Amino acid sequence: MNRIKEILKEKGISQTWLAEKMDKSYPTINEYARNKRQPSLEDLFKIAEILSVDVKDLIQSTDNETNAR
């Protein structure tokens, strides 16, 4: 699971803009944002760089990870 959609919303950035910056199609970015498809590690790092966030911020922890802390 990832938090791409949440971070885009927090930053006021559209999926279309990210798709252009990533040189990817809008449907691909939309699938990433809706967790229908997960980006490759390379794309995840590129998204983090473009959005100026740590790659860890893009990854959503599971309930088990949260409860283990």
Side-chain angles (χ1 to χ4, degrees):
M1 301 294 282
N2 68 62
R3 298 185 57 241
I4 294 170
K5 186 175 184 177
E6 294 169 37
I7 292 174
L8 287 172
K9 186 176 180 180
E10 288 171 8
K11 293 185 168 277
I13 297 172
S14 72
Q15 291 178 30
T16 303
W17 181 87
L18 181 59
E20 290 171 5
K21 292 291 184 184
M22 293 281 300
D23 197 27
K24 299 272 185 191
S25 68
Y26 170 81
T28 297
I29 298 300
N30 184 259
E31 287 178 346
Y32 292 168
R34 293 183 304 131
N35 282 296
K36 298 291 182 184
R37 177 176 167 190
Q38 293 302 311
S40 67
L41 284 176
E42 181 180 342
D43 283 348
L44 196 62
F45 278 93
K46 189 172 181 180
I47 292 167
E49 181 180 342
I50 290 168
L51 298 179
S52 300
V53 297
D54 191 298
V55 73
K56 291 184 234 176
D57 295 335
L58 294 174
I59 300 170
Q60 183 173 352
S61 64
T62 64
D63 290 336
N64 291 340
E65 290 173 338
T66 304
N67 292 336
R69 293 180 188 170

